[in-house]
Amino acid sequence: MRETTRHISPLQYAILESTAFIGIGIFEFPRMLVLQAGNDAWWGLIADGAAACLEIWLLLKVAMVDPEETLLGMARRIWPGPGYWAFGLIDNLVHLILPVIALTQFTYVIVTFFLPDTTPWTIELVMTAMAAYIAWWDLPALVRTIQVVYIPVMAVSIGMLILLIPHITNTYAIWPSANLRLYPTMLGALHTFYIFVGFESIPLFWPYVRRQDQPRARHYTYWVLALSCVFYAGILAATLGSENPWYLVHLEWPGISALRLISVVGLLLDKLGLLVVVFWGILSLFFISIRFWSLTHALLPMVRQRTITWYRGIMLGFALTVFAIALLVPNVQVADSWIARSVPFVLLFIFVYPVAFLGTAAWRKRHPVRDIPLSGSVHRIDGQSSPGRH
Amino acid sequence: MKLGQRKLIRLAVLAMLLLSGCADNRPLNHRALVLALGFAPAPRGQISMIFQIPTPAGLARPSMGGGKGESSPTTFTLVGTGPTVARAFSSAQADLNKDLYFGQLQTLILSTHLSARQFGDIASTLARWGTLDKTAYTLATPANVPLVLSTRSKTTPLAPLYVSTGFWCTHCPVVDLKRQIWNLEQAQFAPAQDLWLPGIQPIAVGFQIQPIVLYRGNRVARILTPHQTTLLGYVLGRTNKGTVDLRWHGRRVSVDSLRAEPQLSARWQRSRLYLHVNLTVTGNIYSFPIPLAVEPRLTWLDQAVKHVLTVQCRALLQSLGRQGLDPFQWGDAFVWQHPHGLKTWLHAYRHAVWIISAHVQLRELGDNT
C-alpha cells in the first residue's frame, strides 16, 4: 500500500460513519414514516433516533472488546467454529442487501427525473464501476475521497433546505400531534429505521482510528447521530410543509420533489434544487463504495487472506454480485418492497448480535481459551504489522 | 506495464465512466420544447392536448415575439386528441419528428369545461411525468384554449411569456394569483382543501387574469367575479392593490392599494365551528373631496373601510362555506390532527359561524390636501 498512514482521523471517521448510512435513506425519507405514523411522524423519528443511539452504544461496546481488531477478527475468537461462519455469512448478507437497495434507488431517481430513455442497467453498471473504483485503494483513500465531497454536499443540502422555507405553505402539518398513537408510531419508526442502518459498520472502522483518538471518535459517533437527526428533522419539516402529508405519501422521493420547487429567477441554473440530486447521488455512490469495502473486509478474515490483491479481487467479485442482483429489480416498487422486507431482518441482526457478542465476550473473559487469545497480533491487509488490522 | 501506461488506462476508464452521463443526450434540435400546454374537452368525451412550441427562429429570439415586419412565425401549435391523456399525447407525438419535451414548460392552461374524469386523468398523468417542470404556472379558462394560446398582449407576444412575466412580480398585480402545477397536484390529494386556479380570458388588447376558479374535487364549482376575487385575496393574503369606493355626503371617496395580512383561526364551541378571520389592512388615500380635519376623516375612513370589508368578506365566505368550498387549509389542518374527522369537519364547515374582524390603518398621500 502506498498510503502514508493507514489510520483515519476522528473527523474522517465521523464523516465515514455518517456516509455509511445517509446515502440510503436520503431519497425515500420520510414517505414511509408519514404513511405509517401519520401526524405522529415526529415521534417516530425520535423513536428511530433513540434506537440508533442504543445501537451505537452497543456497537461501540463491541468495538471496544478489542479496539485494534475488526468485527470478524474478534468474532473468530468469540464464536469459534460454525458460529463464526454463520455470523460471517449473515453479516455479509446484510452488507450485500444495502448496496443493492442504494443502487436501484438512485438509478430510478436518475431514470425518472433526468434520463427517462436510458436503460437502468447502464446507470447501474456505471455506478457500480465508480463505487468499486473509489473503494479500490482501501479505507484511507476511500475516506479521503469522501471527505473532499461530503462537507460541501452537506453545506449545499442545508442551503437548499433553507431555500425551501418560502415554499412551506402547509404549516399546520409541521406541528407534532398531541395524541400519540403508539402502534402506528412504532410501525412508522420500524419501516424508517433504514435511515440509520450503517452504524453497524462501527466495529469495522474502529481499528483504523488511532488508539489515542478513539475516545474522541466515540464522542463524534454520537455527534454524527445528533446532527443526522437534525438533518432528517429538517427534511421532515420541509417536506411536510411544502408538500401536504397526503401528497407526500404518494411521492416516491418526497425530498427531491420538494427540491424541484426551488427556482432562482435570473440564475443560470434556475432549477437549483435539482443540483442537490446530483450531489445526493454522490453520497449514494460513497454509500455503495463503503458497502463494497465492508463486504470485503467482512469476508477477508473468513478466508484468512489479507493481501491487497485478494482485497481487490473479492471487492470486484462483490461489485459484480451487487450489479447482478440489482439487475433483478425491475422497478422502484420492487426496490421498496425489498427495503420493507429486509429492514426488520437487518434490525434484528444489528440489535441481537451485539448483545450476544458482548455476553459471549464477557463469558470468554472469565473462561479464557488458551489457543484463542482475546487480543493478539493480526496482520494488516498489506502484511505490515498492526495497528489497524482487519 | 509502465507507470505512464497505467495512468493512461486509469484516465481512460475514468473518462468512460464520467462521460457515460452523456449516453442518451439529445441535441436541442431533436427536441420540441413545449412552452405552453393546454387541455380542453373534445367531441365524444375525448381530451385535446394543445402544445405551443417555439420554432427554431423563435428560439433564436430571446423575446420570442418578433417585431413588426418579421414574417417568420415564432411558435407553432400542435394538437393531439384521444380518449386519455396518454393517447392524446401519442397522437400529437406521431405528428412531430421531434421529441416533445416538458422540461421548459412555462404555462399550463386547463379548460373549465373538462369533465371530472378528464380532469382527474390530467392531474394523475401530470403527477407521474418525471421530466415535467412542476413549477409551471397553471391557469383555468372558460374560453377556447387554442384561442388563449394564440392571443397576443401589448407587452408580450405569447401567452406563456405574458403569464410568467406577470407572475414573477408577486406585488405587481391587484391580486397575486400565482398557482403552479405543484398546487394542482397537492390539492388532488388533500382531503378537505379545494383547488383554486386563476382564470385567464383573452380580451381585445391581450389577457385578463382576474377571476378565481374554484374546484370541488375535479370539477369547477364556482367562478368568482373580479370583486369577489379581490375579497378572497384579502383573506388569502394575496391582494396587493385592493380598492374600496365610499360615499361621503354623496361625494365619492376612493381608497387604494389596500392589502391585508390575514390571521385565521378555528374554535369549537358546543359542537359548533367558529371560524375567525382577522385582517390587518393597510391602504392609501390620495384625496378627500371636501375639507375636513385630518384626524376625524381618517377615523371615519378607517371605520368605513373596515365596515365594507368585513361585511363583504363575511358574505363571500359564508356563501363559500354553504357550498362547502374551502380554498384555505382549515379542513386539512383539522383532518391532520383528527385523521377520522373528515365527515365531522365537512358538516361543521357548511354550518360554521364566520367572525370577520379588521384593523384598518390608512395613510393619506398626495399634495392637494
Side-chain angles (χ1 to χ4, degrees):
Chain A
M1 298 298 289
R2 276 182 289 280
E3 285 82 28
T4 51
T5 173
R6 291 186 48 75
H7 288 111
I8 56 176
S9 71
L11 179 66
Q12 286 176 325
Y13 160 79
I15 289 172
L16 186 67
E17 194 50 70
S18 79
T19 318
F21 66 87
I22 216 155
I24 195 169
I26 205 161
F27 292 108
E28 200 264 355
F29 181 81
R31 185 166 59 86
M32 287 306 287
L33 184 62
V34 177
L35 185 67
Q36 303 279 359
N39 58 3
D40 289 322
W42 285 102
W43 305 118
L45 181 62
I46 290 168
D48 275 338
C53 193
L54 175 67
E55 181 200 354
I56 288 172
W57 182 77
L58 285 170
L59 290 167
L60 283 172
K61 288 265 178 206
V62 169
M64 297 305 283
V65 168
D66 183 352
E68 293 186 359
E69 184 57 278
T70 60
L71 181 63
L72 268 291
M74 287 188 283
R76 187 188 288 280
R77 299 196 299 277
I78 297 288
W79 293 316
Y84 168 72
W85 280 93
F87 173 73
L89 288 174
I90 294 171
D91 192 39
N92 270 289
L93 191 62
V94 168
H95 288 299
L96 195 64
I97 293 168
L98 300 174
V100 173
I101 291 169
L103 188 60
T104 46
Q105 276 271 353
F106 184 67
T107 297
Y108 282 101
V109 167
I110 291 288
V111 169
T112 304
F113 294 115
F114 297 102
L115 306 169
D117 300 321
T118 305
T119 46
W121 72 264
T122 51
I123 298 167
E124 283 163 355
L125 180 65
V126 170
M127 288 280 287
T128 308
M130 288 193 80
Y133 183 77
I134 293 168
W136 191 251
W137 286 275
D138 207 10
L139 193 72
L142 169 66
V143 75
R144 276 178 220 138
T145 311
I146 293 172
Q147 191 181 7
V148 170
V149 181
Y150 181 84
I151 294 169
V153 166
M154 293 315 281
V156 170
S157 301
I158 291 164
M160 287 301 126
L161 283 178
I162 292 167
L163 282 178
L164 205 53
I165 291 173
H167 297 277
I168 293 176
T169 51
N170 306 289
T171 42
Y172 66 87
I174 296 176
W175 300 110
S177 129
N179 307 311
L180 178 66
R181 293 164 303 138
L182 206 60
Y183 180 68
T185 307
M186 288 300 127
L187 207 59
L190 174 71
H191 284 113
T192 309
F193 192 76
Y194 63 85
I195 60 172
F196 292 123
V197 169
F199 277 116
E200 86 288 344
S201 295
I202 288 172
L204 283 175
F205 302 147
W206 200 248
Y208 287 83
V209 182
R210 285 184 188 85
R211 193 71 185 262
Q212 66 269 26
D213 290 335
Q214 284 181 351
R216 204 141 57 98
R218 196 168 58 237
H219 285 121
Y220 279 13
T221 316
Y222 289 106
W223 273 108
V224 163
L225 174 66
L227 292 176
S228 305
C229 284
V230 171
F231 183 62
Y232 279 124
I235 295 179
L236 181 60
T239 49
L240 276 175
S242 60
E243 300 152 0
N244 64 48
W246 301 276
Y247 184 37
L248 186 155
V249 298
H250 282 87
L251 295 167
E252 190 63 46
W253 303 290
I256 298 175
S257 297
L259 286 171
R260 293 181 75 195
L261 294 179
I262 298 171
S263 178
V264 183
V265 177
L267 201 70
L268 181 64
L269 287 168
D270 63 337
K271 297 282 175 274
L272 208 58
L274 280 179
L275 196 66
V276 179
V277 180
V278 179
F279 287 147
W280 286 5
I282 298 171
L283 288 184
S284 283
L285 192 66
F286 290 155
F287 177 87
I288 298 166
S289 294
I290 293 171
R291 292 294 140 194
F292 286 169
W293 181 89
S294 301
L295 263 169
T296 313
H297 277 261
L299 192 72
L300 280 173
M302 294 172 75
V303 293
R304 292 179 181 274
Q305 295 296 335
R306 50 184 65 91
T307 63
I308 191 73
T309 313
W310 271 90
Y311 165 76
R312 286 173 179 170
I314 291 176
M315 197 262 291
L316 272 182
F318 275 130
L320 287 172
T321 311
V322 165
F323 172 65
I325 298 173
L327 290 180
L328 302 175
V329 181
N331 55 51
V332 76
Q333 275 73 32
V334 173
D336 282 350
S337 74
W338 283 28
I339 297 175
R341 283 178 200 171
S342 56
V343 163
F345 160 72
V346 173
L347 205 61
L348 192 72
F349 172 72
I350 61 179
F351 276 102
V352 168
Y353 101 74
V355 176
F357 190 94
L358 291 169
T360 321
W363 185 80
R364 286 248 180 252
K365 207 170 179 181
R366 276 190 223 134
H367 307 91
V369 182
R370 269 189 193 172
D371 55 341
I372 309 168
L374 258 180
S375 62
S377 176
V378 180
H379 292 288
R380 293 188 314 181
I381 201 164
D382 55 355
Q384 294 168 23
S385 56
S386 229
R389 302 156 302 186
H390 73 86
Chain B
M1 199 181 285
K2 286 178 186 173
L3 192 65
Q5 281 177 319
R6 273 193 197 171
K7 276 188 181 169
L8 202 66
I9 290 169
R10 276 182 203 161
L11 203 66
V13 169
L14 200 63
M16 279 164 66
L17 293 175
L18 292 174
L19 293 174
S20 59
C22 309
D24 79 341
N25 172 43
R26 295 195 180 185
L28 195 59
N29 56 356
H30 288 186
R31 278 194 161 145
L33 305 176
V34 180
L35 274 185
L37 175 63
F39 286 96
R44 297 190 303 280
Q46 300 202 98
I47 300 172
S48 277
M49 279 180 92
I50 304 107
F51 304 84
Q52 190 172 50
I53 300 160
T55 58
L59 272 176
R61 260 173 257 151
S63 70
M64 291 281 203
K68 281 180 183 173
E70 290 185 15
S71 55
S72 59
T74 52
T75 60
F76 67 96
T77 302
L78 183 72
V79 180
T81 303
T84 61
V85 175
R87 294 273 292 277
F89 177 81
S90 298
S91 152
Q93 183 65 80
D95 287 348
L96 196 70
N97 59 354
K98 291 182 177 184
D99 187 26
L100 281 166
Y101 181 67
F102 292 118
Q104 298 294 324
L105 188 71
Q106 301 288 316
T107 307
L108 173 72
I109 297 178
L110 301 163
S111 168
T112 53
H113 305 297
L114 288 161
S115 71
R117 180 193 65 78
Q118 290 170 330
F119 192 90
D121 185 20
I122 292 163
S124 163
T125 309
L126 293 178
R128 284 162 178 75
W129 225 309
T131 50
L132 178 77
D133 185 354
K134 309 278 175 157
T135 59
Y137 299 119
T138 305
L139 303 99
T141 184
N144 179 286
V145 176
L147 177 69
V148 174
L149 289 177
S150 61
T151 300
R152 296 165 73 94
S153 82
K154 275 184 178 175
T155 52
T156 42
L158 292 175
L161 292 186
Y162 176 83
V163 169
S164 53
T165 47
F167 283 150
W168 276 346
C169 178
T170 52
H171 60 271
C172 297
V174 174
V175 188
D176 171 27
L177 295 173
K178 184 172 81 176
R179 300 293 269 171
Q180 296 169 316
I181 293 178
W182 181 252
N183 300 112
L184 186 153
E185 291 178 5
Q186 273 195 332
Q188 280 289 304
F189 295 98
Q193 187 192 148
D194 292 310
L195 173 71
W196 65 266
L197 293 175
I200 184 168
Q201 284 268 30
I203 52 174
V205 288
F207 303 97
Q208 186 191 38
I209 301 177
Q210 243 290 345
I212 280 179
V213 179
L214 279 160
Y215 287 77
R216 186 189 294 115
N218 290 333
R219 291 207 76 137
V220 174
R222 184 168 171 180
I223 299 178
L224 301 183
T225 62
H227 179 61
Q228 287 172 330
T229 298
T230 311
L231 289 174
L232 187 59
Y234 290 124
V235 185
L236 291 168
R238 285 172 169 262
T239 296
N240 297 308
K241 295 170 182 171
T243 309
V244 170
D245 284 335
L246 303 167
R247 293 275 162 186
W248 174 270
H249 297 296
R251 307 280 292 272
R252 188 173 164 173
V253 182
S254 193
V255 182
D256 302 316
S257 302
L258 282 170
R259 59 168 61 218
E261 287 289 324
Q263 273 188 318
L264 312 181
S265 59
R267 169 172 65 88
W268 292 85
Q269 195 174 343
R270 291 178 190 167
S271 305
R272 187 91 193 253
L273 179 65
Y274 291 79
L275 298 170
H276 293 258
V277 177
N278 183 24
L279 302 172
T280 305
V281 184
T282 55
N284 299 332
I285 176 156
Y286 291 93
S287 64
F288 204 70
I290 49 171
L292 190 68
V294 173
E295 197 61 34
R297 73 185 178 204
L298 276 181
T299 308
W300 177 81
L301 279 166
D302 287 353
Q303 291 303 317
V305 170
K306 177 182 174 176
H307 177 73
V308 168
L309 286 187
T310 51
V311 167
Q312 292 184 352
C313 283
R314 185 182 298 114
L316 173 66
L317 294 175
Q318 275 176 344
S319 82
L320 291 178
R322 277 195 296 274
Q323 279 187 279
L325 290 170
D326 177 6
F328 315 99
Q329 294 169 338
W330 303 95
D332 286 353
F334 181 82
V335 176
W336 178 237
Q337 289 297 337
H338 307 88
H340 303 294
L342 181 60
K343 269 190 178 175
T344 311
W345 171 264
L346 292 176
H347 180 263
Y349 183 73
R350 280 177 186 271
H351 302 91
V353 178
W354 290 86
I355 299 167
I356 318 294
S357 58
H359 173 71
V360 182
Q361 204 165 20
L362 300 177
R363 294 181 305 173
E364 191 158 340
L365 305 175
D367 58 1
N368 58 349
T369 54

